Amino acid sequence: MRAVDAIMECLKAEGVEHVFGIPGGANLPTYDALYDAGLRHIQCRHEQGAGHAAEGYAKASGRVGVALATSGPGATNLVTAIADAVMDSVPTVFITGQVRTDLLGTDGFQEADVTGITLPIVKHSLMIRSAEEIPTAIHEAFHIARTGRPGPVLVDVPQDLSREDIAYEPVDSVELPGYQPTTEGNTKQIRLAAKALANARRPVIYAGGGVVNADASKELVELCLSDKLPVTCTLMGLGAFPAPHDQWLGMLGMHGTRAANYAMDEADLIVGIGVRFDDRVTGKLSEFAPRAKFVHIDVDPAEISKNVPAHIPIVGDAKRILPKLTAEYRALAPDTARLDGWWKRIDGWRDKHPLRYDDSETAEIKPQRMIEALYEVTGGDAIVASDVGQHQMWTAQYFHFDGPRKWINSGGLGTMGFGLPAAMGAKVARPDDNVICVSGDGSVVMNAQELATCVTENIPIKVFVMNNGYLGMVRQWQELFWDRRYSSVDMGKSPDLVKLADAYGATGLRVQDKGELEDVVKAAMDADGPVLCDVRVTPEENCYPMIPAGQAARDMVG
Amino acid sequence: MTDATDILNLDDLEVSGGGRTGRRHILSLLVENKPGVLARIAGLFARRGFNIDSLAVGPTDDTTISRLTLTVDGATHPIDQVTKQLHKLVNVIKIRDLEPEDAVARELALFKISADGDSRAQVMQFAEIFRGKIVDVHKRSLTIEVTGTDDKIEAFEEMVRPFGLIEMVRTGEIAVARGKSAT
């Protein structure tokens, strides 16, 4: 059969049901094979949209997201999505067309060295050199993308090779001598960690996106509830521990709660699980958690002691390690009363510094109120994708995620334009769930073209745009740290989002009176098909609390 | 239920690994012999801000596998991080961080030195002391091949520089572990 038909067989063997992408010259053969392959292809409007949709699909389902693009500009348009997927460890496979092998290296039409361009931002990439190796390469790509620390894998397929006939035989297993992720944690280290935890008087469990990736939420909850262990999650980890909860301190980091950040600051033992001690969490590294010893559990050994030296490193899969840690910890029968003083201290912070905002005295909608309304109307029963900026932080603060894979955002790379296509991908993966996108007036237009995809492919996502007329987070920084010199952050009045929705054939709604907010949100949720809802909010509201960049937890402001 | 063995003073916990070793490391890598592998390694060093002091690449007895020998300064780099990042590359099969005393390391260098009149005999004498080989002779210059550890090569360089070192070409160190077992 043709190599491209073999690709389809491989995709099906990998359990793929949906692929996102755009055809072009170099991947015409692939699209010819796709025509009657029995897979659902979602024809996107921009390859970046296809890439983020594949990410949203993966994040919502835990399955590998797949995006296809042609050579040259098609492939380079994927670059942002690939970089995003590597930063947030999203299992994705990108299959790009490449110019014919006789044109390779000659600056042929639509030639770009996409394997070279993406070298620093892929988990792995495979440049196909002969048609026979295509099936193995596809299976290797899926295996690498989904195992260990997940990530993006690129397969670049020259057009002529993809049309060749090959003797296809199903591939049972892949052999990668240099790739053997550790899954089981070291038993001695786990025992030592349990002992440290049992002897800690001011412990904090610090859980991140790795817990979600490992599908280890249940195991995390069991550990935390086996005693009264305080737990905080990173932006990427939200939902790994169900919020709200007595033992939940809220998100930590730059826009986290004071309780979470102060607890990290005073902790004597921090158990990091699937986290990478990112600068948005640690602030000034030299003043981060100065009293703490660190247990660090991660599937990627290179994360351990990269930013913060670990005292008890444990490499492996959180899903396998956490039950063992919980069992060892229980066996030590630690005295819960030792944590009483610690909880008193934490409760003091929680009482004194809850997340709060001053509601408007007029009809004006405060951005925080918008998120609360989304939470109340949906009862939290929604997958929420967000873009990047103030709205993202407010969603993280005010939408209480009670389970994993309900919060889909671009954490590491901070990609504006991620939200809408990611929501689209999530809805394809989980069609029976409510899927919301919270965006901003800056972010939404960066991939608004995918509304056309949502309409034509019948993907009914509900996009709520927190419209403050600014690139809000940049404006906030200019206000606070750059003497209010508002340089290039005013978005003007364009576009009219209701008309934009209309132009795409989606439902456009607008609300600017807080008395009507809930009704409009309900109307959006109840409408058939995709909705773009323009929520006009207070133009100059700041997102607090905040650790100014490069400062320490105790320097929180607001 | 608590007994003495369950007690752990958190203050006794020490940071595990990491940090700077302060010495030179020879990293011996086995990598898949595939296109782009060297680019991945070089790119990784560039991106993470690691410096490669020297690099030598060559085939092994197995045609599907190549050997890379890298020397890296452990005073300026956390070697743990370097090796762990290298391990993440799918095409890197094995990494061995060779302790200098447990390895035999050699480098080959070619020195082109001004040598006429009186200096010629002196240069030839140094070459002999360093067990160098004269591989090219010109009426105004000599080209000498020297093998050895990088210390020896640097020492030779220092000796001949005053005569007028026209150029020096070095291969970068290669190394094998001492003893019977494979590196």
Side-chain angles (χ1 to χ4, degrees):
Chain A
M1 70 175 65
R2 294 178 304 173
V4 281
D5 298 314
I7 291 177
M8 298 304 136
E9 293 307 311
C10 295
L11 294 179
K12 285 187 261 183
E14 291 290 349
V16 174
E17 292 169 23
H18 304 94
V19 291
F20 302 87
I22 304 182
N27 68 353
L28 267 168
T30 309
Y31 273 81
D32 186 68
L34 196 54
Y35 186 71
D36 49 10
L39 299 170
R40 181 175 174 202
H41 177 259
I42 290 94
Q43 182 197 335
C44 299
R45 295 299 185 270
H46 189 291
E47 288 85 355
Q48 188 190 354
H52 292 319
E55 285 188 275
Y57 183 92
K59 287 188 181 208
S61 65
R63 295 154 65 190
V64 177
V66 182
L68 311 177
T70 192
S71 64
T76 58
N77 279 346
L78 286 176
V79 167
T80 304
I82 296 172
D84 195 273
V86 81
M87 285 289 261
D88 286 349
S89 310
V90 191
T92 37
V93 169
F94 298 92
I95 303 174
T96 49
Q98 182 54 275
V99 298
R100 298 191 318 259
T101 45
D102 62 311
L103 285 172
L104 268 178
T106 67
D107 306 315
F109 177 65
Q110 293 194 327
E111 179 180 4
D113 174 14
V114 68
T115 47
I117 290 166
T118 57
L119 214 53
I121 54 167
V122 291
K123 183 173 175 186
H124 191 54
S125 49
L126 298 140
M127 169 81 201
I128 300 301
R129 305 267 160 174
S130 74
E132 282 71 28
E133 70 190 52
I134 289 177
T136 310
I138 299 289
H139 288 296
E140 284 179 357
F142 276 85
H143 177 70
I144 293 167
R146 71 157 75 90
T147 53
R149 178 181 180 171
V153 181
L154 176 95
V155 187
D156 197 28
V157 189
Q159 198 255 26
D160 54 333
L161 301 184
S162 74
R163 305 174 69 164
E164 275 182 27
D165 273 321
I166 59 168
Y168 171 70
E169 286 204 23
V171 179
D172 298 333
S173 63
V174 295
E175 211 176 304
L176 295 160
Y179 180 76
Q180 274 130 11
T182 307
T183 52
E184 304 294 336
N186 180 298
T187 307
K188 256 168 76 181
Q189 290 290 90
I190 294 171
R191 196 165 294 151
L192 184 63
K195 210 160 134 179
L197 199 50
N199 283 276
R201 306 187 71 88
R202 299 187 310 279
V204 178
I205 307 293
Y206 153 43
V211 176
V212 178
N213 270 340
D215 286 321
S217 284
K218 189 168 78 66
E219 291 78 5
L220 173 73
V221 172
E222 273 166 20
L223 170 68
C224 297
L225 301 191
S226 69
D227 197 349
K228 207 166 178 267
L229 298 171
V231 54
T232 178
C233 288
T234 66
L235 179 71
M236 295 308 298
L238 292 177
F241 188 88
H245 189 283
D246 275 354
Q247 284 169 239
W248 164 247
L249 308 184
M251 180 175 76
L252 84 168
M254 185 172 268
H255 291 288
T257 63
R258 275 195 160 75
N261 285 321
Y262 289 179
M264 293 291 278
D265 184 55
E266 292 193 9
D268 63 355
L269 185 78
I270 289 171
V271 181
I273 310 165
V275 292
R276 54 190 183 86
F277 294 85
D278 176 68
D279 58 273
R280 299 285 124 153
V281 161
T282 63
K284 190 175 183 180
L285 209 50
S286 59
E287 291 177 28
F288 171 67
R291 300 150 190 88
K293 305 286 180 177
F294 297 94
V295 176
H296 193 174
I297 302 170
D298 204 286
V299 73
D300 179 0
E303 280 309 327
I304 289 171
S305 299
K306 183 183 81 178
N307 294 335
V308 172
H311 300 80
I312 308 178
I314 306 175
V315 177
D317 181 349
K319 196 173 180 67
R320 289 168 182 266
I321 292 167
L322 290 178
K324 293 182 199 162
L325 180 59
T326 306
E328 294 280 356
Y329 182 67
R330 281 210 176 109
L332 294 168
D335 177 14
T336 302
R338 79 190 189 289
L339 303 176
D340 288 352
W342 183 222
W343 273 110
K344 222 173 134 189
R345 186 112 180 104
I346 291 171
D347 286 336
W349 293 321
R350 290 211 276 210
D351 291 345
K352 203 167 160 205
H353 308 288
L355 279 176
R356 60 170 299 283
Y357 65 95
D358 293 320
D359 203 355
S360 63
E361 286 169 13
T362 62
E364 188 173 71
I365 300 169
K366 283 290 181 111
Q368 300 92 331
R369 177 72 205 119
M370 168 185 164
I371 306 301
E372 285 178 334
L374 291 174
Y375 183 66
E376 285 156 16
V377 170
T378 59
D381 180 21
I383 297 169
V384 182
S386 96
D387 258 301
V388 169
Q390 287 181 314
H391 65 273
Q392 176 190 25
M393 293 298 123
W394 278 313
T395 308
Q397 291 176 336
Y398 289 94
F399 202 102
H400 310 292
F401 294 97
D402 62 1
R405 303 200 183 279
K406 294 180 81 169
W407 169 235
I408 291 167
N409 84 132
S410 166
L413 197 66
T415 308
M416 290 173 70
F418 171 86
L420 198 158
M424 182 172 90
K427 184 69 180 173
V428 171
R430 289 167 61 177
D432 298 333
D433 288 280
N434 291 320
V435 177
I436 288 176
C437 169
V438 181
S439 190
D441 50 318
S443 287
V444 75
V445 289
M446 290 198 183
N447 271 318
Q449 78 285 345
E450 297 311 326
L451 266 180
T453 312
C454 292
V455 170
T456 52
E457 299 276 349
N458 189 24
I459 305 167
I461 59 168
K462 314 296 173 183
V463 184
F464 295 91
V465 181
M466 185 181 279
N467 188 347
N468 55 17
Y470 283 115
L471 295 170
M473 189 59 96
V474 182
R475 186 209 56 75
Q476 175 172 342
W477 281 54
Q478 289 176 343
E479 178 190 331
L480 298 176
F481 312 117
W482 298 87
D483 293 332
R484 290 179 176 265
R485 287 155 60 88
Y486 288 174
S487 179
S488 303
V489 289
D490 189 338
M491 293 296 289
K493 301 259 181 281
S494 178
D496 180 324
L497 292 172
V498 174
K499 285 185 181 160
L500 184 72
D502 196 41
Y504 280 121
T507 303
L509 297 171
R510 177 171 291 125
V511 57
Q512 42 204 344
D513 182 327
K514 75 179 176 197
E516 296 165 8
L517 179 59
E518 300 212 347
D519 287 343
V520 174
V521 171
K522 274 191 200 115
M525 297 308 294
D526 292 342
D528 290 332
V531 175
L532 182 64
C533 183
D534 180 14
V535 186
R536 298 288 175 90
V537 300
T538 312
E540 298 195 20
E541 181 80 3
N542 287 340
C543 184
Y544 289 126
M546 174 180 197
I547 306 175
Q551 297 197 34
R554 55 184 164 283
D555 303 322
M556 281 204 100
V557 296
Chain B
M1 176 124 165
T2 309
D3 64 46
T5 58
D6 296 337
I7 308 277
L8 173 79
N9 187 347
L10 293 184
D11 292 337
D12 296 338
L13 288 174
E14 303 224 352
V15 167
S16 144
R20 311 281 193 270
T21 60
R23 66 172 174 85
R24 208 169 59 92
H25 289 252
I26 303 172
L27 303 180
S28 181
L29 279 67
L30 288 177
V31 302
E32 288 183 84
N33 181 14
K34 286 191 176 167
V37 175
L38 191 57
R40 284 177 207 275
I41 291 169
L44 168 68
F45 273 72
R47 186 165 76 88
R48 299 268 175 195
F50 305 145
N51 272 318
I52 303 175
D53 287 345
S54 80
L55 167 68
V57 194
T60 63
D61 49 317
D62 179 342
T63 54
T64 65
I65 292 172
S66 300
R67 166 87 61 188
L68 248 89
T69 311
L70 289 158
T71 57
V72 183
D73 183 2
T76 50
H77 298 98
I79 295 295
D80 272 14
Q81 243 324 284
V82 175
T83 55
K84 287 194 285 193
Q85 293 293 348
L86 284 169
H87 263 304
K88 283 177 71 168
L89 298 175
V90 172
N91 301 127
V92 173
I93 300 165
K94 189 180 165 192
I95 302 172
R96 180 134 176 216
D97 178 3
L98 291 166
E99 298 273 345
E101 57 269 28
D102 294 334
V104 180
R106 289 290 180 273
E107 181 171 5
L108 186 146
L110 296 172
F111 294 86
K112 191 178 287 184
I113 306 153
S114 291
D116 49 5
D118 300 342
S119 64
R120 182 175 287 264
Q122 278 178 286
V123 170
M124 288 170 71
Q125 208 175 356
F126 280 126
E128 197 173 326
I129 294 168
F130 281 82
R131 295 174 201 275
K133 261 196 276 178
I134 296 166
V135 290
D136 185 50
V137 182
H138 183 263
K139 58 188 170 193
R140 293 257 172 94
S141 70
L142 287 172
T143 299
I144 298 168
E145 172 196 315
V146 180
T147 56
T149 60
D150 70 331
D151 288 351
K152 179 180 165 187
I153 307 243
E154 276 154 30
F156 184 73
E157 181 194 345
E158 208 175 305
M159 299 313 291
V160 298
R161 188 173 280 285
F163 298 102
L165 183 57
I166 299 165
E167 66 182 341
M168 172 181 77
V169 182
R170 296 172 62 166
T171 58
E173 267 186 313
I174 54 168
V176 285
R178 289 186 186 275
K180 188 175 169 232
S181 58
T183 303

